[in-house]
Amino acid sequence: MPTAPLIACLLSSPPAVGDAQAPSERVEIAPVANADADAGTDDDSPAAASSERADPNTSPDPAPAEPSSDDAKPKRGWQAELFVDVAWGFNSNSPDNHVYRGMYTNPRTNELAVNNVGAFIRHRARAGEPWIFELGFHAGAAVDALTSGEPIPGGDDGKFAGAEVFKHIALGNVGVEVPKAKTVFAAGVFEGPMGIGSFWTRNNWNYTTTWESNLVPYYLAGAKIVQPLPSGFELSGWVVNGFQSYADLNSAPSGLVGLSWSRDPTPVSSPRSGTTAVTLATHVYFGPEGTSLAAKDWLVYSDTWAIYDFDDHFSIAAVWDLGVDRAGRANELQSLYTGGAVFARGTVFESKHAKLDLAVRPEASLDRDGRFFGVDQWLISGTGTASLSLYDHLMLRAEYRFDHSTATEGFFYQHELGSDDDPGLATDQHTVFLALTGWWDVWF
């Protein structure tokens, strides 16, 4: 993988009955579903949704829960979805290039930006139809930022296609679930399972994503196998092109293994509502990210997170990562990255068609040798977000975020200083985002 920053985009509690939502590989931080809006849902609706992986908060993209009996499974397995994400961001450093350095999901500031528009269609495995299908396309400033580090096949001589075409493929995979064993085999382009944070911001508690989330892969190209185990455990294995890459980085693939555990949700007592749930997961990525295939030159990256849903109205979560990579260094020294975040989300107002969530998130990341962010530094941040969800199709957000870098020459762009090598970059940055996200989906 190129040594340029690989900064790509939380946690979700189980959505309530009636939320037609799609599964997500990554842990997502999204506002919880509006329980009052669930009344009147028929038996054919994607009820009691839960994500493909355990999610810390309510994700707008969980899969419908499967009843215990195959005969009782949902009769509708297809979902179509459209969405748009628009935001205006104020940056206290007023960079002339308008770039929020190191951020993929919200890369533009001091302007009105269309960060992402997309369309998806999905098919869930169900009784009589054990096959899986996902196809999605997206475009916008965030998509351009996300794929900016993609290698070009053929180097400078590469022409015509490459990332300029593939970057618009948000998802594109097919698979099958073995009915008895529930083993899943699939291949294609997937959302990455590591980290806390979805690239599609409406899935998250906060509008901007953490430094940790912008580091681990938002997407992976390859094949995977997932096997549920007794007592709430699940084991997964992946073979992929690289650490977020459509193109082949070299002649050898990389690998990823994951293990998660979820405790069955437990109903809470009045006056609280919903369920209490706990989920833990860990992933390890390993493989060559450069021209050398020797094991000593591999990137090895571990990702561990935990989620606790107190009930439908309050959740907390935490993530911490550790990665080492020699990255072709002549001095034989390995680079080191470590970092993570703590999340908390609570619902402060709820009615039939409106819900207001507040979320806070402190975080810290150390890129000791500048392997991922390009600068040897600590990045320390704090974020607060208010999210107003309306009619299950619209979300209005206001967010304040403070970032601090310990880099000697600074890290954040300011005024006319818009190059990574400019002396006198800013060490602090204040941002305010006002965002509007709309989506429409249908099951059939």
Side-chain angles (χ1 to χ4, degrees):
M1 193 73 173
T3 57
L6 308 173
I7 316 165
C9 187
L10 290 228
L11 306 159
S12 55
S13 32
V17 175
D19 285 355
Q21 301 170 334
S24 173
E25 293 283 357
R26 288 172 71 103
V27 182
E28 302 168 346
I29 312 180
V32 293
N34 186 341
D36 293 342
D38 298 334
T41 303
D42 60 37
D43 292 339
D44 288 343
S45 68
S50 65
S51 77
E52 200 171 281
R53 322 175 358 159
D55 290 340
N57 20 53
T58 314
S59 150
D61 288 330
E66 300 287 358
S68 57
S69 167
D70 284 349
D71 294 337
K73 287 185 177 181
K75 298 178 182 178
R76 295 181 290 180
W78 286 95
Q79 182 199 27
E81 179 184 13
L82 300 172
F83 69 90
V84 60
D85 176 14
V86 179
W88 178 84
F90 164 77
N91 185 330
S92 63
N93 295 322
S94 301
D96 290 351
N97 62 11
H98 293 209
V99 173
Y100 190 145
R101 185 179 181 186
M103 189 63 58
Y104 279 177
T105 54
N106 325 87
R108 306 290 296 174
T109 59
N110 290 16
E111 68 181 30
L112 182 65
V114 180
N115 286 320
N116 211 331
V117 295
F120 296 82
I121 186 167
R122 305 174 175 92
H123 180 272
R124 313 277 196 272
R126 62 194 184 102
E129 295 180 0
W131 48 279
I132 298 165
F133 176 83
E134 287 188 308
L135 181 63
F137 299 95
H138 60 180
V143 177
D144 291 341
L146 177 66
T147 55
S148 59
E150 274 283 340
I152 301 174
D156 293 339
D157 295 328
K159 297 179 177 68
F160 310 127
E164 284 305 306
V165 172
F166 295 129
K167 71 181 181 181
H168 297 297
I169 302 175
L171 296 170
N173 60 79
V174 294
V176 64
E177 179 186 86
V178 179
K180 295 289 185 182
K182 300 300 181 184
T183 308
V184 171
F185 299 91
V189 177
F190 303 91
E191 186 178 13
M194 302 175 71
I196 288 186
S198 172
F199 181 64
W200 302 294
T201 57
R202 80 178 181 92
N203 297 348
N204 303 329
W205 283 352
N206 302 97
Y207 184 62
T208 60
T209 44
T210 64
W211 296 114
E212 174 274 340
S213 184
N214 281 319
L215 182 64
V216 295
Y218 277 117
Y219 59 90
L220 292 171
K224 70 174 181 177
I225 178 173
V226 181
Q227 178 61 60
L229 301 172
S231 302
F233 287 93
E234 183 178 88
L235 182 65
S236 63
W238 302 61
V239 178
V240 298
N241 283 347
F243 201 71
Q244 185 167 288
S245 175
Y246 295 107
D248 290 328
L249 294 174
N250 45 51
S251 59
S254 295
L256 186 152
V257 293
L259 178 66
S260 65
W261 172 79
S262 297
R263 189 183 70 185
D264 289 339
T266 303
V268 299
S269 57
S270 182
R272 295 159 55 202
S273 63
T275 59
T276 295
V278 179
T279 304
L280 306 173
T282 187
H283 298 85
V284 177
Y285 178 97
F286 52 91
E289 293 296 309
T291 56
S292 172
L293 304 183
K296 67 178 182 178
D297 293 327
W298 286 8
L299 167 65
V300 179
Y301 193 103
S302 68
D303 162 70
T304 302
W305 50 260
I307 307 157
Y308 176 61
D309 293 321
F310 184 69
D311 54 23
D312 276 357
H313 296 89
F314 182 73
S315 299
I316 58 174
V319 60
W320 197 263
D321 292 357
L322 175 66
V324 294
D325 184 11
R326 204 168 73 88
R329 292 170 179 268
N331 57 12
E332 299 291 329
L333 296 177
Q334 286 186 319
S335 61
L336 170 70
Y337 167 82
T338 187
V342 176
F343 306 78
R345 185 272 306 151
T347 300
V348 296
F349 170 79
E350 189 173 22
S351 65
K352 184 174 182 179
H353 298 300
K355 181 170 64 67
L356 178 62
D357 290 334
L358 299 181
V360 294
R361 182 188 69 212
E363 57 174 299
S365 289
L366 169 65
D367 190 7
R368 189 188 64 186
D369 306 284
R371 164 65 173 89
F372 293 99
F373 294 107
V375 180
D376 180 356
Q377 63 180 329
W378 275 95
L379 284 166
I380 301 169
S381 303
T383 304
T385 310
S387 301
L388 177 63
S389 300
L390 300 171
Y391 292 93
D392 296 326
H393 294 290
L394 190 66
M395 187 182 297
L396 305 175
R397 280 177 156 169
E399 176 171 294
Y400 166 75
R401 174 170 176 153
F402 171 72
D403 294 296
H404 172 71
S405 167
T406 62
T408 304
E409 296 297 327
F411 178 72
F412 302 104
Y413 303 138
Q414 61 174 335
H415 308 301
E416 73 281 1
L417 304 179
S419 170
D420 295 357
D421 298 324
D422 282 341
L425 297 176
T427 57
D428 294 334
Q429 181 173 270
H430 301 266
T431 53
V432 175
F433 283 94
L434 301 177
L436 172 65
T437 305
W439 65 92
W440 172 87
D441 63 354
V442 61
W443 287 81
F444 58 96

